[in-house]
Amino acid sequence: MAEPHRVRDALRASMTAWATLTVRDDQARVTLAPDLDVLAPQLDAIDPGWSLTWACDHPAPPIVRARLSVLGAAREGLATAHTLQDAKLAALADLARAYGVTPTSDPVWVEYDPEDGANTSELETDTPTPPPAAERPLPPQPPRDPQMEKARRHIEDLLEQLKVAGRGGEAARILMRGYGETLEESRAIYKDLHALLKG
């Protein structure tokens, strides 16, 4: 099951780009949209297998459909805008609405230059920083058996003696399976190592 609140937080935090919806002479109507460069790493943290696909429903004016799949759940957004790139951003903004994320402001009119595009430099983007991803707690440690701890210490002491005696390689082969899962296994390993030391 997807974690929509985490996706919503990621979308909200990435609302830092501007999509130009329409242009009229030297004016452009722009709307706040998610910035994919900001959004992508946050989605990676939620689901490394997430995907975002685009479909162009109409070339001029461009109408684009965006489809975001995260943790098996998919949502779509559809928008039209001034250019194909702007339509992709606007579709992403529409998709964000499906997660309950709305821009902090309505579309606004700004100055427009054919070469430089819409002048959004004075517009503010009030977006909260996403909360840090909650670390998943480690499973609780199994209760320690004092006898197993003691057996481990005996094996480690014996291992040191074998290393000093120049038989560390042979001891390592015996310890390939570890120190044993049960007290009986640990005792058997200790006996094998002791025999190696005596041998």
Side-chain angles (χ1 to χ4, degrees):
M1 179 62 196
E3 298 181 51
H5 64 282
R6 292 183 66 197
V7 179
R8 183 172 50 248
D9 290 344
L11 283 162
R12 187 174 291 125
S14 69
M15 293 288 265
T16 57
W18 292 94
T20 301
L21 301 176
T22 53
V23 171
R24 236 184 259 149
D25 300 323
D26 62 348
Q27 296 284 302
R29 189 166 165 261
V30 296
T31 190
L32 202 53
D35 182 336
L36 204 48
D37 291 337
V38 176
L39 179 61
Q42 294 181 51
L43 291 178
D44 285 340
I46 297 168
D47 174 14
W50 70 275
S51 68
L52 178 62
T53 56
W54 311 95
C56 184
D57 288 5
H58 192 269
I63 299 174
V64 170
R65 186 180 307 275
R67 180 180 173 85
L68 177 66
S69 297
V70 184
L71 293 170
R75 307 267 171 96
E76 284 193 354
L78 180 71
T80 182
H82 181 61
T83 66
L84 186 60
Q85 186 59 34
D86 286 312
K88 287 168 85 172
L89 281 175
L92 201 51
D94 187 54
L95 183 151
R97 285 185 192 89
Y99 280 95
V101 178
T102 52
T104 51
S105 70
D106 291 328
V108 293
W109 288 94
V110 295
E111 292 179 0
Y112 179 80
D113 181 282
E115 288 182 16
D116 298 331
N119 180 8
T120 58
S121 60
E122 293 180 19
L123 298 177
E124 290 188 20
T125 57
D126 296 327
T127 55
T129 54
E135 287 187 21
R136 294 188 177 169
L138 293 172
Q141 288 277 354
R144 291 191 171 186
D145 181 343
Q147 285 189 309
M148 283 294 287
E149 294 291 318
K150 191 174 177 183
R152 262 177 205 275
R153 281 196 302 276
H154 284 310
I155 289 171
E156 285 167 1
D157 290 343
L158 196 51
L159 186 57
E160 285 304 312
Q161 292 175 41
L162 284 161
K163 283 179 184 172
V164 170
R167 307 200 77 170
E170 294 167 77
R173 279 192 283 282
I174 293 172
L175 291 173
M176 289 285 278
R177 302 179 312 276
Y179 288 6
E181 297 295 317
T182 65
L183 198 54
E184 289 73 28
E185 287 177 15
S186 292
R187 284 183 178 148
I189 290 167
Y190 181 84
K191 282 181 186 172
D192 290 345
L193 290 171
H194 199 265
L196 185 62
L197 185 65
K198 293 288 182 191

